[in-house]
Amino acid sequence: MIRPTPAIVTQLAARRLPRWVLVLLGLFYIVPGFLGRDPWRNEDLAAFGVMFELAQAPIGAWLTPSLLGEPPARAGWLPYWLGAWAIQALPILPANLAAKVPFALLLCVTFASTWYAVLHLARAPGAQPVSFAFGGEARPVDYARAMADAALLALIASLGLAMLAHETSVDPARLAFVTVGFHAATRCFSTHARYPWKTVALSWLSSWGLALSGAPGLALLIGSLPVVVGALQSLSRRRPFGSLTDAIPPAPRWVFLVCAVGALTAAALVYGWTWPGGWWRDASLAYWGRYDAWRSLGRLLVWFTWPIGLLALWALWSWRRQWLSTHWLLPFLWVLAVLLSTGWQRGSDRTLLLALPALAALAAFALPTLRRSVTALIDWFALLFFTGGAVIIWTVWIAMMTGNPAKPASNVARLAPNFEPTFQLIAFVPAVVVTLGWLGVMAWRVGRHRPAIWKSLVLSAAGSTLCWVLLMTLWLPLLNHGMGQRPMSERVAAAVPAGDCVATFGLSQAQIAGLQYHGGLRVVRAPSTEIHTCSRLVVDTADYVRLQGAVAMDEWRLMTKIARLRDNRDTWMMFERAP
């Protein structure tokens, strides 16, 4: 029995979003997050420190990326190689900017793979809209392209994508290769995907990219999901497991598993990766037995996946009668696997990031099933939310420049002491341009235009881009001051004699990377034999007690204390060698 489809789409509603609109939106979303932004603390700065050191190391050291001999906290070769290659290949650019080039390209790959994945999902027979008695329903090709446009808008609109996808760390690389695997998986079930070798090549790229990015288990998972989907579809039709569908030969699907196992095997040989023993006794089980853990995960899911999370839930419900169709089952299993991994990682937002492409696909399939009143509600909420955010950003910026209004200006001075705002025309002009563009989008949306599937996500995607661009232009100096390591590193460098080194104890990799790049210092770890060549010693106040048992403190005397922002935040103690 053919189950009725919930999608009602006319040919007029299946029109494409103009290509120049998608290109401009993508550029305004991608470029500001990489230009002018210092590597921010923790993951971003620590990964850049490894790339910066690797670019100056001999080729033999590239098999063991490290920072002062300590391996990076996030495993993976390929992201560090890409950053180091870019630094070497683009010597005319600052190292920070050069390292960002491959990660900007990886974000482009994420967007393109999401678009093509939904294009293939929307061509599936179970995803087609209702056929009208007298014609006029959307043609399959036009419907698929409109759905792909909607999925890309949904991905850009998600709040959790902005900051993590613009880092120079392993997470943007994993996101790109996961999305490539998602694209390859959808091609496996598409009768319109030509050239099977492209499917195999994308699968290899995804599996080996994930394995070299420190996620061999995820590579195996990506390769096995299409096989699971095909098995469920075959069992539902009471057919042998080897014949997954009538139209597509099963061989490419088995290549997924072979590629993933090959990538996992290579990673096991290179990394020495083994399955953690006693995983079922892991402490995370006790952690998730507490109420606050589930509450924290719930909050993360709400804000990180907003607004596409709610649309994805509605799509799962409205298309529930077609649950065996590829456009429902594949994204659902994809999101479910990532959610389980997120729970296993104790609510890591960096793991949840990998679910956004599949959530965007589900959100796109929710649009043809929504009532007009619901789409109007989405538009009004996006209009009020992002307009309010833009007004707040502009108000605080004006307060920083002029001192009025007084309350925001005093708050900035209290939260970011020693910050001196300056007017920058190169940041002001793009902010004005995107603000005027937002006014134009609002005027277009409230006007009377032909219906389109993607219309209800235009305001959300444009508003998310608006706020992101304003933050990366008007607020960028403030954010670099508060979230970066440059102020502390420059204060340390000013107190170190020229040509001298500085010893550190208890500092994180991000803090050491800040001293090396922003301060231009030669850094050594304490205790070590090299400490005797340094006249300065820097230690975090929280590690001062441990320092007394590791270093002979009679050789050092306290010189000053350096706070990151305020005294109740990160504070370093700087010692000088006693005469």
Side-chain angles (χ1 to χ4, degrees), residues 147 310-312 314-315 318-319 361-370:
M147 295 295 286
L310 294 178
L311 291 176
W314 177 253
S318 58
W319 289 89
L362 289 173
F365 285 105
L367 300 181
T369 67
L370 295 178

Side-chain angles (χ1 to χ4, degrees), residues 144-324:
R145 290 173 177 170
M147 295 295 286
D149 294 341
L152 185 54
L153 293 176
L155 182 62
I156 295 175
S158 58
L159 297 182
L161 180 70
M163 191 173 73
L164 295 183
H166 289 87
E167 288 185 349
T168 51
S169 64
V170 300
D171 299 294
R174 292 180 181 180
L175 174 64
F177 292 121
V178 162
T179 315
V180 169
F182 186 51
H183 175 203
T186 59
R187 287 180 59 93
C188 219
F189 294 93
S190 175
T191 57
H192 305 279
R194 297 180 297 174
Y195 310 115
W197 64 267
K198 288 186 177 181
T199 305
V200 177
L202 289 173
S203 175
W204 272 94
L205 177 62
S206 172
S207 298
W208 282 95
L210 286 171
L212 292 176
S213 298
L218 190 60
L220 178 62
L221 183 63
I222 296 302
S224 62
L225 278 181
V227 178
V228 174
V229 171
L232 291 175
Q233 292 176 343
S234 296
L235 291 176
S236 68
R237 301 184 182 102
R238 297 181 180 180
R239 293 173 181 169
F241 179 72
S243 177
L244 298 180
T245 60
D246 290 334
I248 310 174
R253 300 191 184 92
W254 288 105
V255 172
F256 272 75
L257 185 59
V258 172
C259 293
V261 171
L264 182 63
T265 304
L269 294 176
V270 176
Y271 289 119
W273 187 84
T274 57
W275 189 263
W279 58 271
W280 53 276
R281 296 188 301 267
D282 194 89
S284 60
L285 297 180
Y287 174 81
W288 289 109
R290 302 201 305 264
Y291 168 74
D292 58 341
W294 289 101
R295 183 178 60 181
S296 176
L297 179 61
R299 290 176 177 174
L300 175 64
L301 289 174
V302 170
W303 78 262
F304 196 88
T305 63
W306 185 270
I308 63 176
L310 294 178
L311 291 176
L313 288 176
W314 177 253
L316 292 175
W317 171 256
S318 58
W319 289 89
R320 64 191 183 278
R321 297 181 183 275
Q322 287 80 15
W323 73 273
L324 280 173

Side-chain angles (χ1 to χ4, degrees), residues 124-138:
Q128 297 303 307
V130 172
S131 298
F132 301 154
F134 300 99
E137 71 275 5

Side-chain angles (χ1 to χ4, degrees), residues 326-417:
T326 306
H327 79 283
W328 193 101
L329 191 56
L330 182 61
F332 168 72
L333 292 179
W334 208 281
V335 173
L336 181 62
V338 175
L339 288 180
L340 292 176
S341 301
T342 303
W344 190 258
Q345 297 294 330
R346 301 192 176 192
S348 171
D349 55 349
R350 297 179 178 275
T351 305
L352 187 58
L353 176 70
L354 307 180
L356 292 183
L359 282 173
L362 289 173
F365 285 105
L367 300 181
T369 67
L370 295 178
R371 296 180 179 177
R372 184 173 299 179
S373 59
V374 177
T375 59
L377 179 62
I378 295 175
D379 284 338
W380 277 110
F381 179 84
L383 180 66
L384 296 176
F385 180 80
F386 291 112
T387 301
V391 169
I392 292 174
I393 296 173
W394 273 107
T395 302
V396 174
W397 180 80
I398 294 173
M400 287 191 294
M401 294 295 108
T402 65
N404 290 306
K407 184 64 174 178
S410 62
N411 288 337
V412 172
R414 177 176 55 86
L415 296 175

